Amino acid sequence: MSIVKTKFDRRSFLKVSALAGGGMMLSFSWLAGCKPSPKEVALGLPDEWFELNAFIKIGENGAVTLYNPNPEFGQNVKTSMPMILAEELDVDWKNVMVEQADFYPDRFGRQFTGGSQSIRQGWQPLRTAGATARAMLVAAAAQAWNVPADEIITEPGVLVHKASGKKAGYGELASLAATLPVPEEVELKDKKDFKIIGTSKKNVEVNKIITGKPLFTIDYKKEGMLVAMIEHAPAFGMRLKSFDAAESKSMPGIKEVFSFKVHQDEYEHNYFDTTTHYEMIAIVGNTTWEVMQAKKKLKAEWEIAPEKSIMQSGFGGNASKVKIPAGLESSEGHRARMEEFSKKPGNILRRDGDPEGAFKKAAKILERTYNAPYLAHNCMEPVTCYAHVTADQAELYGPIQAPEVISNTLSARLGLPKEKIQINLARMGGGFGQRAYGHHLVEAAVISKEVGAPIKMVYTREDDMTYGIYRPTYTATYRAALDENNKLLALHVKAGGIPETPIAPNRFPAGALDNYLAEGWEIESNITIGAFRAPRSNFIASAEQSFLDELAEEMGKDPIDFRLELLERAITNPVGSNNDYDAERYAGVLKLVKEKSNWGQSQPGIHRGVSAYFCHNSYVAEVLDLRMEGNRPIVENVVAAVDCGIVVNPDAAANMGEGAIVDGIGNAFFGELSFKDGVPQKNNFNTYRMIRMPEAPKNIYVHFVKNDIDPTGLGEPLFPPIFAAVSNALYKATGRRLYNQPFMKELESGITRM
């Protein structure tokens, strides 16, 4: 057991209050308090009650409800977070219910889903909240029974005093507990005594999901709601010159056709939103079909937009100036510029020892360059949002990972104070970073304000894919210096992209080599890019781990053993003091995957690739088995070893890992978006190739390292290493090293660039 201070008084942490009909509500804050609204004061509820941003509610019948602050897009936080609460509260899981909280930043603080942070950030607050509620119930029983509190124990949902034989359900004493002071410190369970955490619980929304109940914004309907679609610029780098909507307006069911800007001026942009300062055209009507037909009849003329600088606010709230170049960009031109930048000195991100000197002394230098294209998110639910804006308030319902990022823009654009804008958080039909930015909420809100009616704004798949926020395009060159005995003397990586470098300079293999150099560079663009599952890691892991395999072969070493040798140096005598990773935990997943995959035991016709990576505070190693069916690779099995600390819900965790692996294999084989004169060259799934069910691995085995470390990230860490596992296995199968994603395109071309 451990004692933790609640760190909160009635003003900043929690307040309990009797509910109508009995019971208590206990609220807990993750970040900060807030002020009550006049309506809340009128209800007679104390000020402190409403300074909180997540809620535990205990009813007379002993039922417990958690108002979950984090948006849900399939990572199962609506199940796993209540499990943490129920564990410390000591309540029967069957009596736990969960509801999705809407966006109330003053109550809930940072309502952000992304970066594999939900469980990691919620772990301690949820445990503390559950333990605090339990302590208050115990205190209530002690007062009611006139016995010492330390003589009272809890069983699931029940308070027990063994000496007197008295028992009471939580609901019977909830009202009394609501009147007691909040303890300054509480005792958390010893992790070895967990009964709920570490067991598998089914998704709390599973019945709604499998029966097709409305869950997503695309399903949302409201009385009087119109449908809106948008005609965006046909190419990045263009702006609206003029348009003729006469024919569109004359079509059945059409109410309005007008142009608008998401941003009123260049200082209102949210993170990575670099195109919506230009005008676009809204078409509003009664039904989706009628609006789609009217959109086809719209006549618009577009022109080249000039170069412009904007102030861009990031997730941390800091603003920076970003240049949006003029012109129509093409992938062919991007490649030429990236090759040019690759030959120039980059910004030095880390230097250990004397890498330049080591390369001068080298008997042999191994150099390889790896390239990856833009990727589209392609969530199964295209972008959509409901909005109803009036003169004095706004209500929105939509899929958004980071509502706080867009709230300032909404306030400025609508001319409403933030407290008058209510964002209700829909379950997302996929996210992966695309829904972190929220331009679709602003578009819907502006359209609703203009037409004076509630609207549901809908993107088609073509809209979604061609007006996207894409994974950047990257390139990385790795060089290794070897002596005459094939001993590794130095490693040098130089990587960049449009518009960012993917390098994390203090991750492995930094810290494992005497001589190490990391350089980065970036190129500005008018194409919008943004977070894509495991940002930056999703490329650099592929390049790094492919190169380490090739280097191991050059040195005549087993690829897993070679990685373990490097990690042993980082364990026993690390270079530098600012390494981001724990080398022992990194080595641990490699040892576990080696054991679980029976590494070294060959099977006829099966070719194996290995890869490992650290990101989002977690460690993953993966072994992929494939065979060739003619010229087509078939993935048979993937074995993954994961160290993400304590696993709250094993089945859900394994499912998340399986999804990341399938997603990564699909992108490694097929994922690619290119541009010509600013126009995305693919606009639907008939040309943008996604993985299909028969192409998924036949078996995926996810093994978790068992330890008592607090949970770390899980939604993203299994994604980056699978790319290199694919390429390394393909080399074993074909004898060809692949340096350009997507790998199927390179395999089919018969051309390998180094």
Side-chain angles (χ1 to χ4, degrees):
M1 294 184 183
S2 61
I3 304 295
V4 297
K5 289 189 178 296
T6 59
K7 299 182 181 177
F8 310 102
D9 57 20
R10 285 185 180 272
R11 182 162 298 279
S12 64
F13 174 55
L14 49 84
K15 171 66 181 177
V16 291
S17 176
L19 297 173
M24 81 169 179
M25 179 176 279
L26 181 150
S27 305
F28 62 98
S29 171
W30 291 22
L31 290 180
C34 71
K35 294 181 179 179
S37 69
K39 180 180 179 182
E40 291 160 349
V41 174
L43 292 172
L45 297 174
D47 291 351
E48 295 85 354
W49 172 266
F50 297 104
E51 292 185 13
L52 314 173
N53 58 27
F55 307 93
I56 301 168
K57 184 169 65 177
I58 299 178
E60 284 185 310
N61 62 356
V64 178
T65 297
L66 169 69
Y67 289 86
N68 175 41
N70 289 47
E72 169 71 68
F73 60 34
Q75 78 280 42
N76 213 21
V77 293
K78 286 187 71 172
T79 304
S80 300
M81 296 180 94
M83 288 176 66
I84 301 169
L85 171 69
E87 182 67 72
E88 291 292 349
L89 182 59
D90 196 11
V91 67
D92 195 323
W93 177 249
K94 70 182 180 183
N95 293 328
V96 173
M97 297 175 289
V98 61
E99 295 182 18
Q100 176 64 55
D102 291 321
F103 179 56
Y104 289 105
D106 289 336
R107 297 182 191 177
F108 294 95
R110 186 174 182 268
Q111 290 179 267
F112 175 67
T113 291
S116 301
Q117 294 297 299
S118 294
I119 296 298
R120 181 172 180 254
Q121 291 190 345
W123 174 253
Q124 191 74 5
L126 286 168
R127 292 189 69 195
T128 303
T132 302
R134 177 179 174 275
M136 295 172 71
L137 289 161
V138 167
Q143 179 175 312
W145 299 335
N146 197 25
V147 299
D150 59 7
E151 293 182 4
I152 297 174
I153 64 170
T154 61
E155 296 171 355
V158 179
L159 296 144
V160 180
H161 184 243
K162 288 187 175 181
S164 64
K166 292 181 177 179
K167 288 186 177 182
Y170 283 180
E172 297 175 60
L173 289 166
S175 292
L176 176 57
T179 68
L180 300 181
V182 177
E184 293 184 2
E185 58 184 29
V186 293
E187 187 174 329
L188 300 181
K189 279 188 178 183
D190 193 310
K191 293 171 180 175
K192 66 179 177 59
D193 296 327
F194 284 166
K195 297 175 183 177
I196 295 175
I197 293 172
T199 65
S200 292
K201 304 298 181 187
K202 297 302 180 185
N203 189 314
V204 296
E205 290 191 321
V206 65
N207 289 334
K208 293 179 181 178
I209 293 169
I210 64 176
T211 57
K213 292 290 194 322
L215 286 171
F216 307 102
T217 313
I218 200 74
D219 304 316
Y220 194 74
K221 294 180 181 178
K222 206 159 186 178
E223 187 70 26
M225 183 184 79
L226 300 174
V227 174
M229 288 186 172
I230 297 174
E231 180 77 3
H232 296 102
F236 288 92
M238 299 193 82
R239 68 180 181 182
L240 182 63
K241 183 178 181 181
S242 64
F243 70 100
D244 179 356
E247 189 173 359
S248 297
K249 287 181 178 180
S250 68
M251 295 185 71
I254 300 305
K255 302 294 186 181
E256 299 274 359
V257 181
F258 58 91
S259 65
F260 71 100
K261 290 183 180 180
V262 165
H263 302 287
Q264 290 177 312
D265 60 51
E266 62 188 58
Y267 297 102
E268 294 179 8
H269 294 259
N270 76 306
Y271 193 51
F272 280 126
D273 190 0
T274 58
T275 61
T276 51
H277 57 290
Y278 297 125
E279 282 185 282
M280 55 198 77
I281 306 167
I283 305 97
V284 183
N286 290 328
T287 68
T288 304
W289 178 254
E290 288 171 326
V291 173
M292 287 178 70
Q293 301 315 304
K295 183 181 176 183
K296 294 176 183 177
K297 299 296 183 179
L298 189 65
K299 296 179 176 65
E301 187 178 356
W302 306 85
E303 64 183 2
I304 304 297
E307 180 179 301
K308 188 172 185 178
S309 293
I310 62 170
M311 294 301 295
Q312 205 174 66
S313 61
F315 285 117
N318 297 321
S320 59
K321 199 167 189 177
V322 176
K323 185 176 78 172
I324 305 174
L328 303 179
E329 301 180 18
S330 298
S331 293
E332 186 174 326
H334 288 166
R335 283 193 293 270
R337 290 200 70 197
M338 291 167 74
E339 288 179 8
E340 175 188 343
F341 270 65
S342 294
K343 295 172 184 176
K344 299 177 181 178
N347 299 315
I348 295 177
L349 305 176
R350 175 162 173 158
R351 176 189 276 118
D352 292 329
D354 180 18
E356 293 88 351
F359 274 94
K360 289 179 181 177
K361 297 175 184 177
K364 184 190 306 180
I365 294 175
L366 183 69
E367 179 175 329
R368 297 292 184 263
T369 295
Y370 304 85
N371 302 291
Y374 291 101
L375 295 175
H377 285 89
N378 289 330
C379 304
M380 290 298 99
E381 178 194 27
V383 166
T384 185
C385 181
Y386 167 85
H388 187 193
V389 179
T390 63
D392 56 1
Q393 65 181 8
E395 178 191 4
L396 294 96
Y397 180 82
I400 179 71
Q401 291 176 238
E404 66 270 30
V405 173
I406 204 64
S407 60
N408 287 331
T409 302
L410 280 167
S411 178
R413 187 62 182 86
L414 299 177
L416 291 172
K418 287 195 288 185
E419 59 267 24
K420 294 294 185 180
I421 301 172
Q422 179 55 48
I423 302 174
N424 301 319
L425 304 178
R427 184 182 181 95
M428 289 174 267
F432 315 111
Q434 181 198 44
R435 305 195 197 277
Y437 306 102
H439 61 281
H440 53 294
L441 271 69
V442 188
E443 290 175 340
V446 171
I447 294 170
S448 175
K449 181 179 180 180
E450 178 71 21
V451 298
I455 64 100
K456 181 166 68 176
M457 187 272 297
V458 180
Y459 279 27
T460 64
R461 175 62 61 191
E462 288 81 1
D463 295 332
D464 191 35
M465 198 177 294
T466 59
Y467 188 70
I469 298 174
Y470 308 103
R471 198 282 300 269
T473 179
Y474 295 116
T475 185
T477 297
Y478 279 83
R479 300 168 65 233
L482 303 169
D483 69 10
E484 60 276 2
N485 298 314
N486 262 0
K487 178 184 176 182
L488 181 59
L489 300 177
L491 191 69
H492 174 207
V493 55
K494 182 163 60 174
I498 299 175
E500 64 178 13
T501 180
I503 293 178
N506 297 322
R507 291 183 188 169
F508 178 79
L513 297 157
D514 288 326
N515 303 300
Y516 177 79
L517 177 62
E519 296 179 82
W521 50 267
E522 53 195 37
I523 298 172
E524 293 171 324
S525 173
N526 58 34
I527 294 171
T528 52
I529 68 94
F532 189 101
R533 194 174 197 165
R536 293 167 294 280
S537 299
N538 56 50
F539 166 72
I540 202 66
S542 175
E544 171 200 290
Q545 291 291 309
S546 296
F547 185 72
L548 289 181
D549 242 47
E550 194 160 354
L551 183 55
E553 183 181 46
E554 187 70 28
M555 297 170 70
K557 296 184 176 184
D558 175 88
I560 292 183
D561 291 343
F562 173 56
R563 289 169 173 82
L564 289 172
E565 285 178 21
L566 291 173
L567 287 164
E568 183 62 26
R569 167 65 193 278
I571 293 169
T572 59
N573 186 22
V575 179
S577 58
N578 57 342
N579 302 318
D580 290 344
Y581 61 97
D582 182 324
E584 290 193 30
R585 293 178 69 188
Y586 204 134
V589 293
L590 277 163
K591 292 173 182 177
L592 182 59
V593 83
K594 185 176 184 179
E595 171 197 339
K596 295 297 185 180
S597 67
N598 296 314
W599 183 260
Q601 298 181 20
S602 61
Q603 302 176 54
I606 297 295
H607 310 278
R608 320 194 83 180
V610 66
S611 180
Y613 200 67
F614 161 76
C615 69
H616 298 86
N617 307 102
S618 295
Y619 304 81
V620 175
E622 294 167 340
V623 170
L624 179 143
D625 295 344
L626 64 78
R627 61 181 174 83
M628 298 300 292
E629 193 173 273
N631 293 323
R632 189 165 66 97
I634 307 294
V635 179
E636 292 283 336
N637 307 301
V638 176
V639 179
V642 184
D643 184 348
C644 61
I646 293 170
V647 177
V648 174
N649 188 345
D651 273 1
N655 290 343
M656 201 181 312
E658 292 160 1
I661 286 168
V662 173
D663 190 16
I665 291 171
N667 279 289
F669 276 137
F670 310 114
E672 180 187 33
L673 189 69
S674 59
F675 293 84
K676 184 175 181 181
D677 295 329
V679 180
Q681 295 300 286
K682 299 174 182 177
N683 65 12
N684 211 317
F685 293 140
N686 63 322
T687 51
Y688 194 104
R689 183 76 155 80
M690 303 285 284
I691 192 169
R692 296 164 184 164
M693 287 187 179
E695 294 162 340
K698 292 184 178 178
N699 302 291
I700 301 176
Y701 307 96
V702 182
H703 302 276
F704 294 99
V705 173
K706 294 182 180 180
N707 56 41
D708 289 335
I709 298 170
D710 288 353
T712 51
L714 188 57
E716 289 158 290
L718 284 95
F719 185 70
I722 200 67
F723 289 78
V726 169
S727 66
N728 291 333
L730 284 170
Y731 166 68
K732 299 290 180 61
T734 65
R736 293 177 55 204
R737 292 280 181 187
L738 302 177
Y739 301 98
N740 304 286
Q741 296 174 25
F743 297 133
M744 285 303 298
K745 182 178 180 180
E746 186 169 9
L747 276 175
E748 291 166 357
S749 72
I751 299 171
T752 300
R753 293 193 305 161
M754 290 189 183

